[in-house]
Amino acid sequence: HSTQRPGSGTISLNSFAGKFDLSEAGFCTDFELLACTDGVGTKLMIAHHMGKHETIGIDLVAMSVNDLIVHGAEPLLFLDYIACGKLSKFQSLDIVKGIVEGCRQANCSLIGGETAEMPGLYPAGVYDLAGFCVGAVKKSDR
């Protein structure tokens, strides 16, 4: 617990989201922030096999948003992480288009992200994705 500060905590041991109680941290509010991270798993293999990358971003957003809404939270913001061997302009544009569409569908702001090229780790054309989402829920609604 060396990284905890007032307001941080877990919902439960088997939860897919962490919470941050704004009032415990000194902010005047009756809302908690919930945060989670997820990937798309083996769906990446399907996207690579089919050469279809424009829908995998929608899935990426959905995985994290789903982890929030099961706790009654409204998704607020999303960040993405794309790791690849060599960045393909067209492939990455398709991925980001999907992430944007996923955020639109979830009414969630895409506020940033990171792309990492690691040619020694990933072969050309291969990538991995992770998403991070933050939402808010009224304490009385949880």
Side-chain angles (χ1 to χ4, degrees), residues 36-44 56-65 67 78 81 128-132:
C36 59
T37 186
D38 211 338
V40 292
T42 55
K43 289 176 228 160
L44 281 172
I56 198 76
I58 297 171
D59 244 10
L60 180 66
V61 175
M63 297 300 96
S64 290
V65 166
D67 289 346
F78 188 83
Y81 177 77
D128 196 6
L129 303 173
F132 311 89

Side-chain angles (χ1 to χ4, degrees), residues 33 42 77 105 110 137:
L33 295 178
T42 55
L77 55 97
Q105 290 180 19
L110 176 61
V137 63

Side-chain angles (χ1 to χ4, degrees), residues 120-132:
L121 186 60
Y122 294 97
V126 175
Y127 61 88
D128 196 6
L129 303 173
F132 311 89

Side-chain angles (χ1 to χ4, degrees), residues 41-92:
T42 55
K43 289 176 228 160
L44 281 172
M45 294 167 52
I46 296 168
H48 288 301
H49 178 72
M50 296 184 68
K52 184 173 180 167
H53 307 281
E54 57 278 346
T55 57
I56 198 76
I58 297 171
D59 244 10
L60 180 66
V61 175
M63 297 300 96
S64 290
V65 166
N66 286 345
D67 289 346
L68 291 177
I69 63 175
V70 296
H71 296 289
E74 180 179 334
L76 300 174
L77 55 97
F78 188 83
L79 296 104
D80 65 78
Y81 177 77
I82 303 170
C84 60
K86 174 90 173 113
L87 188 63
S88 160
K89 178 181 175 182
F90 299 108
Q91 195 179 58
S92 60

